[in-house]
Structure formats: C-alpha cells, structure tokens
Amino acid sequence: MQKIIMLKYAELNTKKANIGMFLHILKQNIEEKIGNFANIEFDKGRMFIKTEEKNYSFVLNSLKKIFGIHEIEVGYQIENTKMSLIEESLIKIIQNKDFQTFKVETKRSDKNYPLTSLEISKHLGGIILKNKENIKVDVQNPEVIFYVEIRKDHAYIYSEKIKGLGGYPVGTLGKGLLMLSGGIDSPVAGYLAMKRGVKIEAIYFESPPHTSVEAKNKVEALAKIISEYATPIKIHVINFTKIQEEIYKNIPHEYLITIMRRMMYRISEKIAYRNNCKILINGESIGQVASQTLTSMAAINEVVSIPVIRPVACFDKLEIIALAKQIGTYETSILPFEDCCTIFVPEHPVINPEKEKCLEYEKLIPYEELIKEALQTETVLTNQTKKEFEDLL
Ligand code: ATP
Ligand code: MG
C-alpha cells in the first residue's frame, strides 16, 4: 500500500457543461504549487496525489491553500481490490492508530464487486475487532471512521478528512483589479474574490513623500500573503501625490475624500481595462466611514461603468478582522504606516455628498490632465515569486 492524498471538489460538480475547464484550471493551479514535488493523477470526481515522505507536509499545506478543493483525504492506496489485500492493509493501518471506538464506511464505484458496501463494512469491522484490543464499534459517534473505497483498479482506505478552502479554482472566472491599500479590509476582499475563482491584479495609490516606502512595502507584503492562495499578484503602483495635492488646495475640504475616491475609481477603471480585468474589487464596507455610506458609494461609483465588487460590504469590522487573522494578513495590515487616504483626512467629511456638487468641484481642477499624468507614473511590481509571471488568461 502507498500513502496517498485524495482531493474532492464537490461544488465544481454543479458546473456540468464547464466542468472540464474548471478541472483543467484546478489541475494547473495545483501543478504550479506542488508539481515539482508530487505526482498528480485525475480520476472521475477525484484527484490523487502521491509524494515522498520528506515533501509530505509541504504538499499537504499547499493543498490547504488552493481554492476549488473541498475536501482533502489522507490515506492509503491498495495495489488492487482483492479483499485479502484490503484486510492485510487495514490491519497495518490500525496498529499505528490510537482509538477506542470506530466504524467502517464503504463506497463502491465498481458495482461489479462481489460484495455490497454494507457487507464490506461489516466484514472489515470484524477484522478490526479481531486485530486490536479494547475497541468497539460505535455507529453513532465513533472516534475514528475508516472509509474504504473500492474503485476499478485500486482500493483506498483513509480516516483523515481535512476541509479544503472550497470556492472555485482561481482563474476560472476571469480577472479583476483589486484596489489594494495597506488596511485590513482590502486584502480580505481580494481573498474572497479569489475564492470565487477571480484571478487578481492589484492597484495601489502612493503619495510620496506623504506616504513612505514602508507603506508600499507593506502593500507588497500583503499581496504576497494573498498570492499564496493563487498565482503571484501583479501590483500597478500609481503616484497619486499631485492629484491629492491639487484636490487639497482647490476643493472644499468636506468633499476631499469623495473627490479623491472618484479619481481613484477613474484611474482604476482605466488600468483594469488595459489589463483585461473585468471588474474592480475593493474593501469598502457599508457604513464603515463617511465615504462608505450608501449615498457616498453612489456618488463615487457613478464615475465608472466597470462593475465594482465589494466582497466585505456586508461584513462588520470584527468579522473582517477574524477573516484577516485566518488568512494571515492581519498582523501585516496593522503595521503603522500611513496610507494616502489617512493623510489628507478632513475634519468633517461629507456623509451625503451631492453628485452635482462633485461635478461642480471637479471643475476646479484639471482632473482629466491629472489622471493622464498619474497613469504615466505607473510602475508594476511582479517580483513576489521565483517563477516568471505568467498570465493564464
Ligand atoms: P481599513 O482597514 O483601515 O478600513 P481600508 O484599506 O479599507 O483600510 P478605506 O479608507 O476604508 O481603507 O478604503 C476603502 C477601500 O478603498 C479600501 O479597502 C481599498 O480597496 C481602497 N483603497 C483605499 N486606499 C487605497 C490605496 N492607497 N490604494 C488602493 N486602494 C485603496
Ligand atoms: Mg475600510
């Protein structure tokens, strides 16, 4: 018998016509992460992964970070489906396991097998009882369940099931541009979009010298953390200093943030379209700050036609923080470097901005010119990986 990792992708099975494409991308994503360390095989409804003992925990940990995998089963592949060999293997497996109560659950995808699933479970339950002391069967609440699967050429035994991340394989739903700041919310928003299969590029607005190089490094570090759940993330860095200074000098301060964010949206839309991104993604959360009231969001959103997805819109801050901790971005997000949104904060930002006023105030600055100039400052950071950056789409 040989140690094996098996993957299930339940939700993908609902994608009837497109299942082939989803699985193809899932396999690509898995190969990209662990291809050099493991042998990956497809079968109906499953993927089988074998690796050497020394790479085992690396492979398992990598699989835990891949979207599209719903369950990871860790167990053994038996050379064939002969009952004598299954018994022999099971006896070996139970010797290394500590438990007092158990049950056996069997599935047969080979319907020609001479015994039914129930008969196999009963039989193997008896074998376990005979070969280990002080244990008993508990069908209601067993400490260990031995899952036995009889497939065409091999049988499988496993008792360890790990919940996968779920979602869809990154890249199956096209590409989006994440507005990535150094805060807590936007990396979480990016993670959630990736979970729905969206491949991410990021845009970051910097305002040197008002914002420091550490602030930019922090954004790069955040991109790197969330890229562990997918492929590397390209970051488009835009110098926003001049726009911010012009807004600060010329526009009534209660509208600073509203106008600033309208500029960010306009620039983001352009960068998105240039890079084949179909949506913008950001970390706005309803009611969190003055610029995230419904009226503010409407006044800001109206300057673009690209769809804007806000994965954390309906989460409260504690829920966002809990997810940030879980995915590993929180500790980096709370590092104290100023973001361009926090340096020019007016004392009384408008909560219900009027669209007409936005248009009127924007006439006070040559904003189209300023946007053109800002776009020319674009630099792209791609160096978060050893591998060459490669677009799947
Ligand atoms: P916090 O966790 O402190 O709320 P935040 O990143 O959510 O941080 P907000 O001021 O609430 O900050 O901004 C709302 C959203 O706008 C962000 O989630 C992010 O998507 C986008 N954004 C803000 N500042 C920038 C920036 N400098 N570059 C790119 N996107 C930004
Ligand atoms: Mg926020």
Side-chain angles (χ1 to χ4, degrees):
M1 67 181 174
Q2 187 178 4
K3 206 163 169 181
I4 196 160
I5 300 172
M6 290 172 279
L7 308 180
K8 262 193 196 156
Y9 18 84
E11 195 182 2
L12 296 190
N13 288 333
T14 61
K15 298 266 159 268
K16 288 195 180 70
N18 294 326
I19 185 85
M21 181 273 283
F22 275 79
L23 291 184
H24 177 69
I25 295 184
L26 178 60
K27 187 161 184 249
Q28 267 183 350
N29 293 352
I30 293 175
E31 274 170 350
E32 182 147 342
K33 285 265 167 77
I34 60 166
N36 293 337
F37 307 94
N39 174 288
I40 307 162
E41 265 175 42
F42 268 113
D43 196 352
K44 221 167 61 191
R46 285 286 172 89
M47 245 180 249
F48 297 91
I49 296 175
K50 290 178 193 157
T51 182
E52 287 175 47
E53 193 59 41
K54 67 174 172 26
N55 297 325
Y56 191 77
S57 54
F58 166 78
V59 165
L60 196 56
N61 287 334
S62 302
L63 292 170
K64 286 181 193 166
K65 284 189 160 182
I66 296 176
F67 293 116
I69 298 173
H70 286 255
E71 192 172 273
I72 304 167
E73 295 151 357
V74 183
Y76 297 89
Q77 184 183 57
I78 320 296
E79 287 77 354
N80 59 46
T81 58
K82 279 203 191 98
M83 187 46 77
S84 57
L85 195 57
I86 298 176
E87 289 171 10
E88 200 182 295
S89 310
L90 187 58
I91 292 167
K92 276 192 207 144
I93 292 168
I94 59 171
Q95 300 316 329
N96 301 322
K97 226 171 161 59
D98 227 10
F99 61 94
Q100 272 153 10
T101 59
F102 76 99
K103 75 169 170 179
V104 179
E105 266 183 27
T106 307
K107 250 204 239 155
R108 291 178 317 165
S109 60
D110 178 5
K111 298 294 175 207
N112 295 322
Y113 200 73
L115 298 172
T116 66
S117 298
L118 211 62
E119 285 166 348
I120 299 170
S121 296
K122 270 195 182 155
H123 174 71
L124 292 176
I127 297 284
I128 294 176
L129 287 171
K130 240 189 260 167
N131 286 279
K132 201 168 173 83
E133 286 178 354
N134 302 325
I135 53 165
K136 58 179 193 230
V137 174
D138 179 350
V139 284
Q140 298 301 337
N141 194 18
E143 230 177 288
V144 185
I145 302 177
F146 292 99
Y147 297 94
V148 176
E149 264 190 58
I150 314 276
R151 296 172 81 93
K152 196 142 186 50
D153 300 319
H154 300 284
Y156 298 87
I157 303 175
Y158 60 92
S159 56
E160 194 184 342
K161 275 186 177 183
I162 302 164
K163 201 168 176 305
L165 279 186
Y168 296 134
V170 173
T172 50
L173 268 296
K175 204 159 58 165
L177 184 68
L178 171 67
M179 299 170 73
L180 183 60
S181 67
I184 296 169
D185 306 327
S186 49
V188 173
Y191 169 90
L192 288 170
M194 292 195 299
K195 183 168 183 180
R196 300 321 294 164
V198 179
K199 188 175 157 72
I200 299 274
E201 293 197 11
I203 183 165
Y204 169 60
F205 296 92
E206 61 170 356
S207 296
H210 311 296
T211 58
S212 60
V213 71
E214 284 87 352
K216 180 157 78 177
N217 292 343
K218 176 175 158 181
V219 168
E220 208 178 351
L222 288 168
K224 192 170 179 179
I225 296 170
I226 57 171
S227 75
E228 284 174 26
Y229 297 90
T231 44
I233 294 171
K234 224 187 231 183
I235 310 174
H236 304 265
V237 181
I238 301 287
N239 186 315
F240 204 53
T241 311
K242 192 155 173 205
I243 295 186
Q244 269 194 305
E245 288 176 352
E246 287 293 315
I247 294 173
Y248 194 73
K249 264 189 275 169
N250 297 297
I251 287 178
H253 279 192
E254 55 168 358
Y255 271 72
L256 278 187
I257 302 271
T258 316
I259 306 291
M260 191 178 91
R261 296 195 61 75
R262 283 164 64 102
M263 298 299 161
M264 278 188 180
Y265 267 53
R266 288 180 172 115
I267 294 170
S268 300
E269 181 180 54
K270 290 210 159 58
I271 296 286
Y273 285 150
R274 278 184 194 172
N275 292 282
N276 199 21
C277 295
K278 304 283 188 282
I279 54 167
L280 295 182
I281 300 149
N282 68 35
E284 289 171 353
S285 175
I286 298 170
Q288 193 183 83
V289 285
S291 61
Q292 292 166 24
T293 63
L294 295 185
T295 322
S296 280
M297 280 161 125
I300 292 163
N301 204 149
E302 72 161 357
V303 300
V304 293
S305 59
I306 189 171
V308 182
I309 305 294
R310 302 171 176 85
V312 298
C314 300
F315 286 21
D316 64 39
K317 194 76 190 187
L318 292 179
E319 289 168 325
I320 301 172
I321 288 174
L323 197 46
K325 285 184 176 165
Q326 188 191 314
I327 66 177
T329 51
Y330 182 73
E331 296 301 326
T332 305
S333 286
I334 58 172
L335 293 173
F337 304 116
E338 293 284 320
D339 180 61
C340 70
C341 283
T342 43
I343 46 174
F344 291 112
V345 180
E347 248 175 74
H348 300 291
V350 60
I351 288 173
N352 290 309
E354 292 168 35
K355 293 175 183 178
E356 298 69 29
K357 278 199 178 157
C358 292
L359 292 172
E360 189 191 318
Y361 293 153
E362 278 172 352
K363 288 191 190 131
L364 302 171
I365 54 170
Y367 78 85
E368 281 173 0
E369 259 324 289
L370 290 168
I371 287 176
K372 249 190 224 155
E373 274 179 49
L375 284 165
Q376 279 162 6
T377 68
E378 179 192 5
T379 52
V380 181
L381 304 173
T382 56
N383 56 345
Q384 303 151 42
T385 170
K386 311 150 248 116
K387 275 196 173 182
E388 273 298 298
F389 192 85
E390 191 189 54
D391 268 331
L392 289 173
L393 298 166

